[in-house]
């Protein structure tokens, strides 16, 4: 490996420095700093309203921040316009509600980004899209519209849609929370495959089994702050803060 | 005067009237849709001044009576040295009124899209224009076929404003006045035109329903 590549490897793919954000009087993110290295998988957990979604959304600049810095591979997020759109296209985002485009076939959902944003020709985009749809196990559904698929299939298609942009990192905001229990694993399996492939990921989830299995680090948020972070087994078995203990008790309770 | 006498004397006049109504309706509706798209894009744009202008446009033209607008266009604009022929005056009036309602239809169609799809598009790196073109407009069009069908009928009825100005050839409503100043067609003279309107509206609804069933988005 050349020195240059080695140096690049040390630059975090995603880095937040002292990020603050308010919604009116509500201080949703308080001095949040977080750094995600290449290939690292960070799981974020925390009570409802603690700012997990907001954190994900600021990384993609779906939300603006009041102060602090967000860097993608060492470059600050552009303010707006084409530059911002380009930067966004380098981060994949998967939502709780799938958010597939309702009027398009699954195949068109996956090729829209590559064709519009990357300017890929139709055949090339479709070839790769079909490959990805096969990888997530919904190739059969390529010509259906989203409403004809189950929730689990829609979420897997949504993951393929993000992957089609060949992102540098993926952000998942509670990707299995809207799913019926029997479909959760089919989506988690796809995510585990991504981890095996070396994808850099931030995952907001309460699936502790998943976190223990693949996370390099668990970050616990409460009231807009990162309260504690650590290796998954350490965190789940020996949480240091009272807030984390209370929270873990509450989700183990049911 | 009986129906057969009315038709044998004025049949051609009615036919011309029907064709005039159809052509003014068609021309108006094409521009109604184009303008409605433009106004709606302005209303959802990230630029506040554009949004204000779009909202203002709709508020003004949705709330002004057709006859008043026609009078302004036909009699006030020439003061500003803008002289349009009578047919154009009627069509412009119809377009301004219709596009305001068309934009309202689009807005309700857009509200069914859901902010999630827009955010997904933004996170893929699509620009505002790309999102409008590939996500918003196609869905807004496909969810508003039925209201737009109603709008097309309303546009046709609005072209009856043409009876208030000297058109040549006259449209359907103008023909009624024409017949009644010459002969005592009475209610019958009106009924013939009414039947033409109703018949056209019926066909428009049938076609609209069919298109709706074909393009409706499964949710
Ligand atoms: N657009 C908004 N305007 C005002 N307040 C908001 C907005 N979005 C979120 N909030 C508030 O910000 C806080 C953090 O919300 P966020 O969605 O980030 O929490 P979360 O940790 O993702 O919660 P959950 O587990 O319920 O998804 C909440 O109190 C929420 O009500
Ligand atoms: Mg959330």
């Amino acid at each position: 490996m050349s020195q240059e590549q080695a140096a690049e490897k040390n630059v975090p793919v995603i880095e937040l420095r002292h990020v603050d954000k308010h919604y009116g009087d509500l201080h949703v993110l308080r001095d949040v700093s977080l750094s995600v290295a290449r290939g690292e998988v960070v799981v974020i957990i925390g009570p409802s309203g603690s700012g997990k979604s907001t954190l994900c959304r600021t990384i993609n600049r779906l939300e603006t921040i009041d102060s602090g810095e967000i860097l993608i591979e060492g470059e600050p997020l552009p303010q707006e316009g084409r530059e911002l759109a380009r930067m966004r296209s380098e981060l994949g985002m998967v939502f709780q509600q799938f958010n597939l485009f309702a009027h398009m076939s699954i195949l068109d959902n996956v090729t829209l980004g590559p064709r519009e944003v990357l300017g890929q020709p139709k055949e090339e985009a479709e070839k790769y899209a079909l490959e990805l749809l096969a990888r997530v196990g919904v190739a059969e559904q390529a010509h259906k519209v989203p409403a004809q698929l189950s929730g689990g299939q829609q979420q897997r298609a949504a993951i393929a849609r993000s992957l089609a942009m060949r992102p540098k990192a993926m952000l998942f905001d509670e990707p299995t929370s809207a799913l019926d229990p029997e479909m959760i694993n089919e989506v988690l399996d796809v995510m585990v495959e991504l981890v095996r492939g070396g994808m850099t990921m931030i995952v907001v989830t309460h699936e502790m089994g998943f976190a223990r299995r693949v996370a390099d680090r668990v970050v616990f948020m409460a009231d807009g702050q990162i309260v504690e972070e650590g290796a998954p087994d350490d965190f789940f078995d020996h949480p240091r803060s009272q807030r984390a203990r209370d929270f873990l008790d509450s989700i183990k309770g049911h | 005067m009986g129906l057969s006498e009315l038709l044998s004397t004025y049949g051609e006049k009615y036919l011309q009237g029907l064709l005039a109504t159809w052509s003014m309706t068609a021309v108006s509706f094409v521009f109604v849709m184009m303008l409605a798209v433009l106004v709606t894009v302005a209303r959802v744009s990230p630029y506040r001044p554009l949004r204000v202008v779009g909202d203002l446009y709709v508020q003004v033209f949705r709330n002004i009576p057709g006859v008043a607008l026609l009078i302004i266009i036909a009699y006030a604009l020439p003061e500003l040295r803008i002289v349009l022929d009578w047919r154009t005056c009627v069509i412009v009036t119809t377009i301004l009124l219709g596009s305001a309602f068309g934009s309202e239809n689009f807005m309700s169609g857009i509200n069914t899209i859901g902010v999630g799809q827009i955010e997904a598009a933004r996170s893929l790196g699509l620009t505002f224009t790309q999102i409008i073109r590939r996500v918003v407009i196609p869905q807004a069009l496909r969810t508003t076929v039925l209201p737009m069908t109603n709008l097309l009928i309303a546009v046709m009825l609005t072209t009856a404003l043409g009876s208030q100005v000297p058109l040549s050839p006259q449209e359907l409503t103008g023909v009624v006045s024409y017949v009644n100043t010459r002969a005592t067609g009475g209610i019958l003279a009106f009924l013939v035109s009414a039947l033409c309107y109703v018949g056209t509206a019926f066909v428009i609804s049938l076609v609209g329903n069919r298109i709706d069933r074909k393009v409706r988005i499964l949710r």
Side-chain angles (χ1 to χ4, degrees), chain A residues 57 60-62 82 85 88-89 91 93 95 99-104 112 116-117 145 147-148 161 165, chain B residues 115-127 129-130 133-136 138-139 142 217-219:
Chain A
R57 296 161 57 80
N60 223 341
R61 215 170 174 286
L62 290 175
R82 285 199 168 269
R88 277 198 185 118
S89 74
L91 295 175
M93 179 134 185
F95 304 84
N99 297 341
L100 290 168
F101 306 121
H103 62 304
M104 290 180 184
L112 182 70
E116 291 283 325
V117 180
V145 294
Q148 293 170 304
R161 175 176 67 179
M165 301 298 290
Chain B
V115 67
Q117 286 185 54
I118 309 298
E119 294 191 335
R122 285 167 70 200
S123 76
L124 285 173
L126 271 71
T127 61
T129 329
Q130 289 171 325
R133 217 163 33 83
R134 300 300 312 271
V135 180
V136 176
Q139 292 197 52
R142 287 171 59 176
I217 298 165
L218 281 178
R219 292 197 191 269

Side-chain angles (χ1 to χ4, degrees), chain A residues 49 51-54 96 173-174 204:
Chain A
K52 307 178 300 290
S53 297
T54 308
Q96 186 173 347
D173 187 5
E174 304 206 34
V204 178

Side-chain angles (χ1 to χ4, degrees), chain A residues 23 26 28 47-54 174:
Chain A
Y23 282 123
L26 184 68
V28 270
S48 179
S50 56
K52 307 178 300 290
S53 297
T54 308
E174 304 206 34

